[in-house]
Amino acid sequence: LTSILISNPLHPTRGLAGFAVQCVMIGLAEEPSTIWASIFFALFSNLVYPALSSLVSRSTTAEQQGQAQGSINGVKALTEGFGPLMFGLLMNVFETTAMPGFPY
């Protein structure tokens, strides 16, 4: 049952949409309660990686599993490495402007 729930093709789309809503809420937040409310949408963004991994696993042959999962994990590692670096740079640039939450 768990693999059926995780491998739904719509989950990556829902997860990315949830992440987009969360980022917009944080970027436009004027009160702390808005940021706390955005945590709900962060739950959806956690669906992306397991859903993509499951979908790729189901769509490749047994011989291609290592290469396919390695490719996904390689992209994930790159984004986890470069994402915070770029975000930190953007936060530093926009910190003293009229829109300090713009990088979100």
Side-chain angles (χ1 to χ4, degrees), residues 78-98:
L78 285 172
T79 59
E80 288 175 347
F82 286 114
L85 291 172
M86 293 302 297
F87 185 75
L89 176 67
L90 289 172
M91 284 298 287
N92 190 32
V93 168
F94 287 98
E95 186 174 25
T96 58
T97 66

Side-chain angles (χ1 to χ4, degrees), residues 27-70:
L28 299 177
E30 294 182 2
E31 298 179 14
S33 61
T34 307
I35 293 177
W36 285 106
S38 75
I39 292 173
F40 173 75
F41 294 100
L43 299 173
F44 292 104
S45 66
N46 289 326
L47 290 173
V48 175
Y49 177 71
L52 284 177
S53 182
S54 178
L55 288 170
V56 168
S57 177
R58 288 174 175 246
S59 65
T60 58
T61 64
E63 294 81 24
Q64 297 173 325
Q65 287 292 316
Q67 186 176 9
Q69 295 298 334

